[in-house]
Amino acid sequence: MGAEGHAISERLHDGPLQLLGAALLKTEMCEQLIVLNRGDELPARLAELRAALEQAAIDLRSIMVDARRESPQR
Amino acid sequence: MYLERSNDRESARGNDIRVVLADDHQLFRQGLKALLEMERGITVVAEASDGLEVQRVSLEQEADVVLMDINMPIVDGLSATRELLRARADIGVIILSMHHEEGHVFQALRAGARGYLLKTSRVSEVASAVRAVSTGLSLLDPSVTTSVVSEFRRMSSKQTPEDGLGQLTETEVKVLQHVAAGMSNKEIASRLSLAESTVKNRLSVLFEKIGVLDRTQAAIYAITHGIAPTAVQNVRVGV
């Protein structure tokens, strides 16, 4: 893998992957809140989950745009 | 940067397992902490966002188990693991990472980590690993176990019975079994009526004979060669 690939890999790891990891934890928290009959806390947690997923999508788009810019089609 | 300490030594619940979270991603740490604290018998006593801070707070807070990310600023998680275990060998370090490549797993085991889990694991799995490691056991994520077992098979296939397992004395086999059961040198010494220094020496010779670098690799060797105690085999084969 070239330097470009490494840089993309690092950005994917530090950005979207970490956000997806956090999002997975938030889904588990929602499951737990249901089990614990704390459904009133769900809307706030779901909003956090959505924010994490939105940010992951934004980061992915940005990485895609930069990757295209750095490797123009021949 | 040192982050908020969630509890003082006094406020950890009774005999709870004292856990430190080390990860530079605050969102992930927050989520994990909130869920781990719902688990019975586990208290998160401190958080750190870099590999230097985790060493300090783990010693200060007398952690039993550290959940350690690999990619962290200042000092990475693998170096932090090595340094921390040099200061206190009985702390159980579990690497919690997004990396599933076998190179990272082997580096983690060589650094002395007793567990390796992916960040995509469910918190109940993380909690089980914390409990296992706090009692001296080792645990790997199922998705990385295959590559670890393959590596040890490869190592084993290079050895003839004369230059590996077959060369161990009866006492060395017993020492290896106790290592696989997660016992410390002191416990093994007491169990086998040997001096602790003798156990240490036997371990060095044993590692050399079976071609491993540390007790985690030795434990995996014992399991893959069918000489670990049955209970340990049952716990760890499913790792």
Side-chain angles (χ1 to χ4, degrees):
Chain A
M1 194 191 293
E4 217 172 81
H6 272 296
I8 290 174
S9 164
E10 217 162 275
R11 283 179 69 189
L12 286 171
H13 173 271
D14 292 341
L17 262 183
Q18 300 300 330
L19 286 163
L20 289 173
L24 284 172
L25 289 172
K26 289 183 189 304
T27 62
E28 279 198 67
M29 179 54 87
C30 291
E31 290 168 4
Q32 285 299 316
L33 291 175
I34 294 167
V35 171
L36 297 170
N37 280 326
R38 286 162 54 184
D40 53 324
E41 296 175 40
L42 274 176
R45 299 294 183 172
L46 286 169
E48 289 172 7
L49 171 59
R50 184 176 172 83
L53 292 173
E54 277 178 357
Q55 189 57 51
I58 290 167
D59 286 3
L60 277 172
R61 273 199 296 268
S62 156
I63 293 168
M64 275 167 54
V65 168
D66 292 347
R68 277 200 201 115
R69 206 174 285 152
E70 284 161 19
S71 307
Q73 282 185 334
R74 287 166 204 166
Chain B
M1 179 184 64
Y2 173 67
L3 293 167
E4 74 267 32
R5 203 176 296 165
S6 56
N7 279 309
D8 289 326
R9 178 86 180 107
E10 291 73 28
S11 62
R13 291 163 291 189
N15 292 325
D16 276 11
I17 302 165
R18 303 172 62 79
V19 175
V20 168
L21 304 182
D23 197 305
D24 57 331
H25 295 94
Q26 195 187 1
L27 258 187
F28 186 83
R29 252 189 358 253
Q30 279 175 346
L32 183 58
K33 182 185 168 197
L35 282 161
L36 270 180
E37 295 207 314
M38 289 179 171
E39 293 282 336
R40 194 168 292 173
I42 293 175
T43 297
V44 177
V45 292
E47 297 175 45
S49 62
D50 67 64
L52 203 54
E53 200 54 46
V54 64
Q55 296 173 50
R56 190 171 72 77
V57 296
S58 299
L59 297 174
E60 270 179 14
Q61 293 294 312
E62 298 176 32
D64 299 309
V65 177
V66 178
L67 289 167
M68 183 95 75
D69 189 15
I70 293 181
N71 294 78
M72 286 195 291
I74 306 178
V75 174
D76 66 80
L78 298 177
S79 304
T81 298
R82 262 190 297 274
E83 289 303 315
L84 184 57
L85 294 176
R86 210 166 281 161
R88 245 196 67 196
D90 62 321
I91 294 182
V93 176
I94 299 172
I95 299 291
L96 195 53
S97 172
M98 278 294 180
H99 295 288
H100 69 283
E101 302 93 323
E102 58 189 50
H104 284 98
V105 181
F106 293 136
Q107 279 179 32
L109 296 177
R110 282 195 199 104
R114 293 217 302 268
Y116 194 106
L117 292 176
L118 296 180
K119 281 186 175 176
T120 48
S121 306
R122 291 190 72 85
V123 172
S124 56
E125 293 168 330
V126 177
S128 297
V130 166
R131 293 188 184 101
V133 164
S134 75
T135 62
L137 294 173
S138 300
L139 212 134
L140 299 178
D141 191 283
S143 64
V144 302
T145 310
T146 310
S147 57
V148 172
V149 173
S150 301
E151 173 65 8
F152 276 86
R153 283 218 180 98
R154 191 187 61 76
M155 284 170 55
S156 313
S157 66
K158 279 185 175 174
Q159 294 175 330
T160 64
E162 289 72 33
D163 63 11
L165 191 56
Q167 211 185 41
L168 298 184
T169 64
E170 198 178 323
T171 307
E172 284 164 350
V173 171
K174 282 182 187 161
V175 169
L176 182 56
Q177 286 175 326
H178 290 320
V179 167
M183 289 187 193
S184 65
N185 287 356
K186 197 175 177 182
E187 288 167 328
I188 297 171
S190 158
R191 193 65 71 90
L192 298 179
S193 304
L194 297 170
E196 201 175 334
S197 56
T198 308
V199 173
K200 204 174 167 188
N201 290 336
R202 296 257 178 164
L203 271 177
S204 302
V205 174
L206 189 161
F207 288 178
E208 185 76 24
K209 283 183 180 176
I210 62 174
V212 301
L213 294 170
D214 55 37
R215 41 203 315 136
T216 305
Q217 290 188 353
I220 296 171
Y221 182 96
I223 294 163
T224 54
H225 287 74
I227 55 170
T230 315
V232 178
Q233 299 265 15
N234 289 342
V235 170
R236 293 186 182 164
V237 163
V239 286

